[in-house]
Each structure stands twice: as C-alpha cells, then as structure tokens.
Amino acid sequence: MQILEERIVQDGLVIGTDTVKVDSFLNQQLDVNLFQALGKEIHRRFQDERINKILTIETSGIAIATVVALEYGGLPLVYAKKNKPSTMIDDSYSAPVKSFTKGIVSNVRVSKRYLQPSDRILIIDDFLAHGEAMYGLISLCKQAGAEVIGLCSVIEKVFQGGGDKLRAQGYHLESLAKIEKVENGKIVFTE
C-alpha cells in the first residue's frame, strides 16, 4: 500500500538492521486519517470472507482492529490481554507470546465467553516479525474451536520469516506494507 510505505519512509525511524520505529503514526501517536485508509484496505482484501469477529492483541493492535471492525459494520472486536486482570474471574484461553520489541514472554488471555466455535475470525496486528503474536492468537482460536479465516498485519518485516511460515501453513495472510530489509539505514520494500 503506497500511502503506508511513503509514511514509513517519511516518519519511520530505523534502529539497527531489524527495527523500524513508527510510533509517530502507528503506535503511540495515531494518524486517524491514515488508519481510516488502512481499515478500508484491510476490509477490501477480506470483504468476500464471512468474518464475524475480529481478534487482536493489546495494545498496539487495538486501534487498527477497531477501525477494521467499523468497516465491517461494527463487528465484535476481541483483544487478548497480556496480563490476567483481577476482574477476569471466568475461565479463559491462554497462550504464550514472545514480544520481539520487548524481549519478554507474556501469557495472553481471552475469556472463554468471547471466543466461540461458531466464530470466523480475522486476526489483525500492527507488526509481523517472527509471527509470535499471530501464533498466540491462532492458538486461542484453536482452543475455542473457532475458525481463523485470515491474518493481517499493517507492517510485515519479511526478513524475519514469520509471514513465510504462516503462509506455508496455509493461512491467508495479508500485509499492507512488506519490508524486505533494512540496509544502511534505508528501508527496502517488497511487493
């Protein structure tokens, strides 16, 4: 998606050879006009699927998943919590997820009330690197007996291999911007 790639180049900050910081428009500060365009594009890519629920992980995935849920006319949006709050007193599904940027493992959870066997899920996240968050969310869906219809990341770092592994397993994965590599402080995109 050209508008996203241009924004990454314009405002993204390259850190080393494997990190692209985009918190000025995607994570900490949100460009809601850009999000609206991203939401429309994600909806367009999955519009022929009979999705009835959106699933993401806290925190960065929630904003884009909300916009996509609205594009679908207000589908329910569920997000996996990274820590079990004291208010989560009912049974929950859980899966370990390693954060690429934080270097920690969180046991993500979703209440069993919010994922059902009848659900046809679109999983959305902001970044896809090694695929850890996606695999964790897929695990939650499998535990519930829900069907994963598609996966979508706003930005995929292709060179870290997560997307290739997920596609090889037969998942319909879409990424709005695919970074092939970071070289000499420059971001190189792939089609």
Side-chain angles (χ1 to χ4, degrees):
M1 185 174 180
Q2 187 166 350
I3 186 173
L4 177 59
E5 290 178 3
E6 289 170 358
R7 188 64 180 272
I8 293 167
V9 169
Q10 175 187 322
D11 293 330
L13 175 63
V14 174
I15 301 172
T17 59
D18 60 2
T19 302
V20 179
K21 186 176 177 180
V22 291
D23 61 355
S24 67
F25 63 91
L26 186 64
N27 300 108
Q28 191 167 20
Q29 176 173 273
L30 308 178
D31 180 336
V32 294
N33 292 319
L34 176 62
F35 270 52
Q36 188 172 29
L38 299 176
K40 287 181 185 308
E41 179 62 15
I42 293 169
H43 178 262
R44 184 190 70 76
R45 292 184 187 200
F46 291 96
Q47 68 186 353
D48 294 332
E49 305 292 346
R50 293 177 327 166
I51 294 161
N52 68 354
K53 195 168 283 181
I54 307 288
L55 177 64
T56 192
I57 192 166
E58 70 174 354
T59 303
S60 297
I62 296 172
I64 187 61
T66 299
V67 174
V68 175
L70 288 169
E71 283 295 319
Y72 274 94
L75 284 183
L77 164 62
V78 176
Y79 69 89
K81 293 182 171 276
K82 292 182 180 174
N83 296 301
K84 184 176 182 179
S86 62
T87 57
M88 189 178 274
I89 56 175
D90 51 354
D91 287 337
S92 60
Y93 302 111
S94 65
V97 172
K98 182 177 182 183
S99 168
F100 173 77
T101 54
K102 294 178 185 165
I104 60 170
V105 176
S106 299
N107 201 25
V108 300
R109 291 177 168 76
V110 169
S111 170
K112 288 185 176 181
R113 295 184 311 154
Y114 303 130
L115 287 179
Q116 303 296 318
S118 60
D119 287 332
R120 296 175 50 84
I121 306 285
L122 173 59
I123 295 174
I124 297 175
D125 203 8
D126 61 339
F127 265 96
L128 172 58
H130 300 284
E132 299 287 339
M134 290 287 187
Y135 281 114
L137 295 172
I138 290 167
S139 174
L140 298 176
C141 292
K142 286 181 178 179
Q143 291 172 52
E147 185 178 358
V148 176
I149 300 302
L151 311 170
C152 187
S153 68
V154 175
I155 300 171
E156 177 182 346
K157 294 191 282 182
V158 175
F159 60 91
Q160 290 179 313
D164 289 341
K165 286 189 262 181
L166 289 160
R167 289 181 185 96
Q169 292 176 7
Y171 289 104
H172 175 190
L173 169 62
E174 296 282 339
S175 297
L176 303 185
K178 294 180 182 179
I179 298 175
E180 181 178 326
K181 61 184 173 182
V182 178
E183 188 173 68
N184 299 323
K186 302 275 186 205
I187 300 167
V188 179
F189 296 98
T190 186
E191 294 282 322

